[in-house]
Coordinates of all heavy atoms in Angstrom, one line a residue:
S155 N 20.6 81.2 50.1 CA 21.6 82.3 50.0 C 22.6 82.2 51.1 O 23.8 82.4 50.9 CB 20.9 83.7 50.1 OG 20.0 83.9 49.1
V156 N 22.1 81.8 52.3 CA 23.1 81.6 53.4 C 24.0 80.5 53.1 O 25.2 80.6 53.4 CB 22.3 81.3 54.7 CG1 23.2 80.9 55.9 CG2 21.5 82.6 55.1
L157 N 23.5 79.3 52.6 CA 24.3 78.2 52.3 C 25.3 78.5 51.3 O 26.5 78.3 51.4 CB 23.4 77.0 51.9 CG 24.2 75.8 51.4 CD1 24.9 75.1 52.5 CD2 23.2 74.8 50.7
C158 N 24.9 79.1 50.2 CA 25.8 79.5 49.1 C 26.8 80.5 49.5 O 28.0 80.4 49.1 CB 25.0 80.0 47.9 SG 23.9 78.8 47.1
S159 N 26.4 81.4 50.4 CA 27.4 82.4 50.9 C 28.5 81.8 51.7 O 29.7 82.1 51.5 CB 26.7 83.5 51.7 OG 25.7 84.2 51.0
M160 N 28.1 80.8 52.5 CA 29.1 80.2 53.3 C 30.1 79.4 52.5 O 31.3 79.4 52.7 CB 28.5 79.2 54.4 CG 29.5 78.6 55.3 SD 28.7 77.4 56.5 CE 28.3 76.1 55.3
L161 N 29.6 78.6 51.5 CA 30.4 77.9 50.6 C 31.3 78.8 49.7 O 32.5 78.5 49.6 CB 29.6 77.0 49.7 CG 28.8 75.9 50.4 CD1 27.9 75.1 49.4 CD2 29.7 74.9 51.2
L162 N 30.8 79.9 49.2 CA 31.5 80.8 48.4 C 32.6 81.5 49.2 O 33.8 81.6 48.7 CB 30.6 81.8 47.8 CG 31.3 82.9 46.9 CD1 32.0 82.2 45.7 CD2 30.3 83.9 46.4
L163 N 32.3 81.9 50.4 CA 33.3 82.6 51.2 C 34.4 81.6 51.6 O 35.6 82.0 51.7 CB 32.7 83.1 52.5 CG 31.8 84.4 52.3 CD1 31.0 84.7 53.6 CD2 32.6 85.5 51.8
S164 N 34.1 80.3 51.9 CA 35.1 79.3 52.2 C 36.1 79.2 51.0 O 37.3 79.1 51.2 CB 34.4 78.0 52.5 OG 33.6 78.1 53.6
L165 N 35.5 79.2 49.8 CA 36.4 79.1 48.6 C 37.3 80.3 48.5 O 38.4 80.2 48.1 CB 35.5 79.0 47.3 CG 34.9 77.6 47.0 CD1 34.0 77.7 45.8 CD2 36.1 76.6 46.6
L166 N 36.7 81.5 48.7 CA 37.5 82.7 48.6 C 38.6 82.7 49.6 O 39.7 83.3 49.3 CB 36.6 83.9 48.7 CG 35.6 84.1 47.6 CD1 34.7 85.3 47.9 CD2 36.3 84.3 46.3
V167 N 38.4 82.2 50.8 CA 39.5 82.2 51.8 C 40.6 81.3 51.3 O 41.8 81.7 51.4 CB 38.9 81.6 53.1 CG1 40.1 81.3 54.1 CG2 38.0 82.6 53.8
G168 N 40.3 80.2 50.7 CA 41.3 79.3 50.1 C 42.0 80.0 49.0 O 43.3 79.8 48.9
V169 N 41.3 80.7 48.1 CA 41.9 81.4 47.0 C 42.9 82.4 47.5 O 44.0 82.6 47.0 CB 40.9 82.0 46.1 CG1 41.5 83.0 45.1 CG2 40.1 80.9 45.4
Y170 N 42.5 83.2 48.5 CA 43.3 84.3 49.1 C 44.6 83.7 49.6 O 45.7 84.3 49.3 CB 42.5 85.0 50.2 CG 43.4 86.1 50.8 CD1 43.6 87.3 50.2 CD2 43.9 85.9 52.1 CE1 44.4 88.3 50.8 CE2 44.7 86.8 52.7 CZ 45.0 88.0 52.1 OH 45.7 88.9 52.7
Y171 N 44.5 82.7 50.5 CA 45.7 82.2 51.1 C 46.6 81.3 50.2 O 47.7 81.1 50.4 CB 45.4 81.5 52.4 CG 45.1 82.4 53.5 CD1 43.8 82.5 54.0 CD2 46.0 83.2 54.1 CE1 43.4 83.4 55.0 CE2 45.7 84.1 55.2 CZ 44.4 84.2 55.6 OH 44.1 85.0 56.6
G172 N 45.9 80.8 49.1 CA 46.6 80.0 48.2 C 47.4 80.8 47.1 O 48.5 80.4 46.7
W173 N 46.8 81.9 46.7 CA 47.4 82.7 45.6 C 47.8 84.1 45.9 O 48.7 84.7 45.4 CB 46.5 82.7 44.4 CG 46.5 81.4 43.6 CD1 47.5 81.0 42.8 CD2 45.5 80.4 43.6 NE1 47.2 79.7 42.3 CE2 45.9 79.4 42.7 CE3 44.2 80.3 44.1 CZ2 45.2 78.3 42.4 CZ3 43.5 79.2 43.8 CH2 43.9 78.2 43.0
C174 N 47.1 84.7 46.9 CA 47.4 86.1 47.2 C 48.4 86.3 48.3 O 49.0 87.4 48.4 CB 46.1 86.8 47.6 SG 44.9 86.8 46.2
E175 N 48.6 85.3 49.1 CA 49.6 85.4 50.2 C 50.6 84.3 50.1 O 50.3 83.1 50.0 CB 48.9 85.3 51.6 CG 49.8 85.6 52.7 CD 49.0 85.8 54.0 OE1 48.1 86.6 54.1 OE2 49.3 85.0 55.0
K176 N 51.9 84.7 50.1 CA 52.9 83.7 49.8 C 53.0 82.7 51.0 O 53.1 83.1 52.2 CB 54.3 84.4 49.6 CG 54.3 85.2 48.3 CD 55.7 85.8 48.1 CE 55.8 86.5 46.8 NZ 57.1 87.1 46.6
Q177 N 53.1 81.4 50.7 CA 53.4 80.4 51.7 C 54.5 79.5 51.1 O 54.2 78.4 50.7 CB 52.1 79.6 52.0 CG 51.0 80.5 52.6 CD 49.8 79.7 53.1 OE1 49.9 79.1 54.2 NE2 48.7 79.7 52.4
D178 N 55.7 80.0 51.2 CA 56.8 79.3 50.5 C 57.5 78.3 51.4 O 58.3 77.5 50.8 CB 57.9 80.3 50.0 CG 57.3 81.3 49.1 OD1 56.4 81.0 48.3 OD2 57.7 82.5 49.1
T179 N 57.2 78.2 52.6 CA 57.9 77.3 53.5 C 56.9 76.3 54.2 O 55.7 76.6 54.2 CB 58.6 78.0 54.6 OG1 57.7 78.7 55.5 CG2 59.6 79.1 54.0
V180 N 57.4 75.3 54.7 CA 56.6 74.3 55.4 C 55.9 75.0 56.6 O 54.7 74.7 56.9 CB 57.4 73.1 55.9 CG1 56.6 72.1 56.8 CG2 58.0 72.3 54.7
A181 N 56.7 75.8 57.3 CA 56.1 76.5 58.5 C 54.9 77.4 58.1 O 54.0 77.5 58.9 CB 57.2 77.3 59.2
E182 N 55.0 78.1 57.0 CA 54.0 78.9 56.5 C 52.7 78.1 56.2 O 51.6 78.5 56.5 CB 54.4 79.7 55.3 CG 55.3 80.9 55.7 CD 54.6 82.1 56.3 OE1 53.3 82.1 56.2 OE2 55.2 82.9 57.0
Y183 N 52.9 77.0 55.5 CA 51.8 76.2 55.0 C 51.2 75.4 56.1 O 49.9 75.4 56.2 CB 52.3 75.3 53.9 CG 51.2 74.5 53.2 CD1 50.3 75.0 52.3 CD2 51.1 73.1 53.6 CE1 49.3 74.2 51.8 CE2 50.1 72.3 53.0 CZ 49.2 72.9 52.1 OH 48.2 72.1 51.6
L184 N 51.9 74.7 56.9 CA 51.4 73.8 57.9 C 51.1 74.4 59.2 O 50.3 74.0 60.0 CB 52.4 72.6 58.1 CG 52.5 71.6 56.9 CD1 53.5 70.5 57.3 CD2 51.1 71.0 56.6
L185 N 51.9 75.5 59.5 CA 51.8 76.1 60.9 C 51.4 77.6 60.9 O 51.5 78.2 61.9 CB 53.1 75.9 61.6 CG 53.6 74.4 61.7 CD1 55.0 74.4 62.4 CD2 52.6 73.6 62.4
G186 N 51.0 78.1 59.7 CA 50.5 79.4 59.6 C 51.6 80.4 59.9 O 51.4 81.6 60.4
G187 N 52.9 80.0 59.7 CA 54.0 80.9 60.0 C 54.3 81.1 61.4 O 55.1 81.9 61.8
K188 N 53.6 80.4 62.3 CA 53.7 80.4 63.7 C 53.5 81.8 64.3 O 54.0 82.2 65.3 CB 55.1 79.9 64.1 CG 55.5 78.5 63.7 CD 56.8 78.1 64.2 CE 57.1 76.7 63.7 NZ 58.5 76.2 64.1
K189 N 52.7 82.6 63.6 CA 52.4 83.9 64.1 C 50.9 84.2 64.0 O 50.5 85.4 63.9 CB 53.1 84.9 63.2 CG 54.6 84.9 63.2 CD 55.3 85.9 62.3 CE 56.8 85.8 62.4 NZ 57.5 86.8 61.5
M190 N 50.1 83.2 64.2 CA 48.6 83.4 64.1 C 48.1 84.0 65.4 O 48.7 83.8 66.5 CB 47.9 82.1 63.7 CG 48.4 81.6 62.4 SD 47.1 80.5 61.7 CE 45.8 81.6 61.3
S191 N 46.9 84.7 65.4 CA 46.3 85.2 66.6 C 45.6 84.1 67.3 O 45.1 83.1 66.8 CB 45.3 86.3 66.2 OG 46.0 87.3 65.4
A192 N 45.5 84.3 68.6 CA 45.0 83.3 69.5 C 43.5 83.1 69.3 O 43.0 82.0 69.3 CB 45.2 83.7 71.0
F193 N 42.7 84.2 69.0 CA 41.2 84.0 68.9 C 40.8 83.2 67.7 O 40.1 82.2 67.9 CB 40.6 85.4 68.8 CG 39.1 85.3 68.6 CD1 38.3 85.0 69.7 CD2 38.5 85.6 67.4 CE1 36.9 84.9 69.5 CE2 37.1 85.5 67.2 CZ 36.3 85.2 68.3
P194 N 41.3 83.4 66.5 CA 40.8 82.6 65.4 C 41.3 81.1 65.6 O 40.6 80.2 65.2 CB 41.5 83.2 64.1 CG 42.5 84.1 64.6 CD 42.1 84.6 66.0
V195 N 42.5 81.0 66.2 CA 43.0 79.6 66.4 C 42.1 78.9 67.4 O 41.8 77.7 67.3 CB 44.5 79.6 66.9 CG1 44.9 78.2 67.3 CG2 45.4 80.1 65.8
A196 N 41.7 79.6 68.5 CA 40.8 79.0 69.5 C 39.5 78.6 68.9 O 39.0 77.5 69.2 CB 40.6 80.0 70.6
M197 N 38.9 79.5 68.1 CA 37.6 79.2 67.4 C 37.8 78.0 66.5 O 36.9 77.1 66.4 CB 37.1 80.4 66.7 CG 36.7 81.6 67.6 SD 35.5 81.2 68.9 CE 34.0 80.9 67.8

């Protein structure tokens, strides 16, 4: 259950940022829009 949960959540993250949040520019796609929070980037 733990393994499948991690794999499924990883897929859902990709789905969310791929289809639910617009990333129309190179900066959005490659650099996260240059507005990402320090903590997730550090981790």
Side-chain angles (χ1 to χ4, degrees):
S155 297
V156 171
L157 174 67
C158 292
S159 297
M160 185 183 70
L161 296 178
L162 178 60
L163 289 172
S164 298
L165 278 173
L166 292 177
V167 170
V169 169
Y170 175 77
Y171 284 108
W173 281 289
C174 300
E175 186 169 305
K176 291 183 179 181
Q177 300 191 72
D178 300 328
T179 65
V180 174
E182 284 286 340
Y183 182 77
L184 290 180
L185 306 175
K188 302 182 181 180
K189 296 179 180 179
M190 300 202 68
S191 302
F193 177 72
V195 173
M197 296 301 291

